[in-house]
Amino acid sequence: MSRKPDRMDLEDSSSGTVSGSDLAQRYRHAGDLTGEAPTRPFSEISITVPWGHISGKWYGPQNVQPLLGLHGWQDNAGTFDRLMPLLSPDIAFLSIDLPGHGLSSRLPDGCYYNSVDNLYVIRLIMKQYKWEKVSLVGHSMSSIICFVFAAVFPDKVDMIIGIDALKPHQRPYPSVIRTMETRLDEFLREDQRNRSKNEPPSYSYDELIERVYIGTFHSVNKEHCKHLMARNIQKSEKYPDKYFFCRDRRLKFYNYAIGSQELCVEMAHRITCPYLFIKATQSSYFEDKKYYDEVLDVLVKKPNFEYVEANGSHHVHINDPEAIIGPVNNFIHRFGPAAAAASRQKAKEAKESKL
């Protein structure tokens, strides 16, 4: 069952910036900077967690369980801004900022970001709203998180939609060890910078757009970079016409290591929920394709797994959401929270009729 958020947790998308002194200089969507209306009306929410809060954008009805949307590495809840107006209006969707991203709290000083920790974040959100099962939509890093979550908790997932990254990536072991060494050193540096409380380098709006564009390896069209930028920046106190990135700089050195290829194959075997995976044809596989193919071969044999290729870059859901909305809406209609709830109710009634 879904719990409607408390009134105190909600900020209507027509009403200024997020409340709270620590968020006074923050932006919730591109229109807070450009004057445009949101791509779809939403309510800003805050979910209490042990280290602070998880922020998110709740689209659609608030008396039904939403799909839970999870973004890619160093992105934020704005990743689904251009997809939202294309969803059926009766579909509820909660797009969150993962810890350290967007408007969500950073982990405390000295704490390292690990990809697998986001499974705990999903469980906390489920507990907050009293969801017995969750329906997940993930892009990139979070598409991998959805894959892992569904394997670890197969009885707690109604459906998954994954966009462009299928599984934990495999790297040559010497490269993995070298990456661990360099990332830990860089993490220590950024952790110390965070403690200094000094304002990071600031940039003009156009310079920020350029940096986001370059930072995504040109994956996001320039005109759409604003959707990823807004929740990740803050107005400079030193320079009135400039802004700085305020996502946690430690995120640059995320620990992605989840396990071996053998573990990934075992995870694929454990996934039982309906699963739609969308591969962008102009994007890489982020690993030797043989590892991707081996896991895909397991998944395609499952009756509720669907594979779609879409012409576009890694951020196809931002650049060209029309290219994927058909299969997305169709899949949600058949397997989303409303369909899953109806199926469980029907099964319950059938069981009771036999008693």
Side-chain angles (χ1 to χ4, degrees):
M1 294 294 291
S2 171
R3 181 186 75 83
K4 186 174 180 180
D6 298 331
R7 295 287 298 177
M8 61 182 286
D9 292 339
L10 298 173
E11 289 276 351
D12 189 84
S13 58
S14 63
S15 64
T17 57
V18 182
S19 60
S21 58
D22 59 328
L23 300 179
Q25 299 295 319
R26 304 296 299 276
Y27 309 98
R28 300 156 308 136
H29 68 103
D32 283 343
L33 289 154
T34 65
E36 303 167 84
T39 57
R40 181 184 176 189
F42 68 91
S43 293
E44 185 73 31
I45 70 156
S46 181
I47 301 168
T48 300
V49 291
W51 62 92
H53 69 275
I54 294 293
S55 292
K57 304 168 75 173
W58 188 304
Y59 298 88
Q62 295 168 9
N63 60 345
V64 297
Q65 182 172 335
L67 298 156
L68 181 62
L70 307 171
H71 59 78
W73 175 56
Q74 294 199 89
D75 293 345
N76 55 67
T79 195
F80 296 112
D81 279 7
R82 300 197 70 239
L83 189 67
M84 287 302 98
L86 303 180
L87 291 180
S88 300
D90 59 326
I91 292 174
F93 195 104
L94 172 56
S95 181
I96 66 163
D97 299 320
L98 292 169
H101 299 77
L103 303 182
S104 289
S105 297
R106 298 176 175 184
L107 296 184
D109 290 342
C111 292
Y112 198 76
Y113 287 94
N114 290 281
S115 182
V116 73
D117 291 347
N118 291 304
L119 276 63
Y120 174 59
V121 173
I122 296 171
R123 295 291 288 123
L124 283 175
I125 294 172
M126 292 176 68
K127 182 178 179 181
Q128 168 77 7
Y129 291 115
K130 297 181 173 60
W131 299 336
E132 295 180 6
K133 295 192 174 188
V134 65
S135 296
L136 298 168
V137 181
H139 169 246
S140 190
M141 175 186 75
S142 285
S143 180
I144 297 171
I145 292 168
C146 293
F147 172 92
V148 175
F149 188 90
V152 175
F153 302 108
D155 61 336
K156 297 187 183 301
V157 186
D158 276 328
M159 54 142 273
I160 299 173
I161 298 175
I163 303 173
D164 201 48
L166 179 64
K167 54 174 282 296
H169 302 143
Q170 301 303 304
R171 300 282 189 269
Y173 290 150
S175 173
V176 172
I177 294 170
R178 177 60 180 163
T179 298
M180 290 172 65
E181 176 191 6
T182 56
R183 286 198 169 193
L184 279 171
D185 283 345
E186 295 294 341
F187 168 81
L188 287 170
R189 185 192 68 193
E190 296 297 348
D191 192 52
Q192 187 61 43
R193 284 184 178 179
N194 279 353
R195 298 185 203 197
S196 74
K197 308 304 179 185
N198 292 331
E199 183 177 296
S202 57
Y203 308 92
S204 69
Y205 180 88
D206 289 340
E207 288 172 334
L208 286 172
I209 292 291
E210 185 68 23
R211 293 185 78 85
V212 172
Y213 178 62
I214 294 172
T216 65
F217 302 99
H218 305 171
S219 174
V220 181
N221 295 347
K222 275 192 182 181
E223 64 267 30
H224 304 317
C225 287
K226 60 188 177 182
H227 298 292
L228 288 183
M229 186 180 75
R231 293 175 76 90
N232 273 346
I233 66 171
Q234 185 170 332
K235 195 169 183 62
S236 171
E237 295 184 4
K238 296 181 178 179
Y239 309 101
D241 297 323
K242 292 188 175 184
Y243 312 82
F244 60 86
F245 287 104
C246 50
R247 63 192 172 207
D248 195 336
R249 292 179 292 192
R250 295 175 296 175
L251 291 169
K252 291 184 289 184
F253 310 108
Y254 228 114
N255 177 20
Y256 285 105
I258 292 179
S260 67
Q261 177 66 5
E262 290 77 13
L263 179 60
C264 291
V265 172
E266 178 61 24
M267 286 180 175
H269 281 294
R270 282 178 56 86
I271 295 173
T272 58
C273 67
Y275 191 165
L276 169 64
F277 180 69
I278 300 170
K279 182 72 185 84
T281 58
Q282 296 172 26
S283 178
S284 74
Y285 291 90
F286 309 103
E287 62 180 342
D288 190 316
K289 190 172 180 291
K290 67 181 182 182
Y291 299 125
Y292 170 94
D293 288 340
E294 184 179 16
V295 167
L296 188 62
D297 286 345
V298 174
L299 293 172
V300 296
K301 295 180 174 67
K302 296 176 180 289
N304 286 334
F305 180 81
E306 299 180 18
Y307 176 81
V308 171
E309 290 187 349
N311 183 30
S313 71
H314 181 54
H315 288 80
V316 63
H317 64 299
I318 297 178
N319 292 331
D320 191 12
E322 293 82 3
I324 66 171
I325 193 59
V328 165
N329 266 332
N330 181 275
F331 195 79
I332 293 171
H333 175 73
R334 288 182 291 136
F335 301 114
S343 178
R344 284 193 289 271
Q345 180 62 28
K346 184 176 180 180
K348 179 182 177 182
E349 291 173 354
K351 182 178 179 179
E352 291 175 347
S353 67
K354 296 177 181 179
L355 297 178

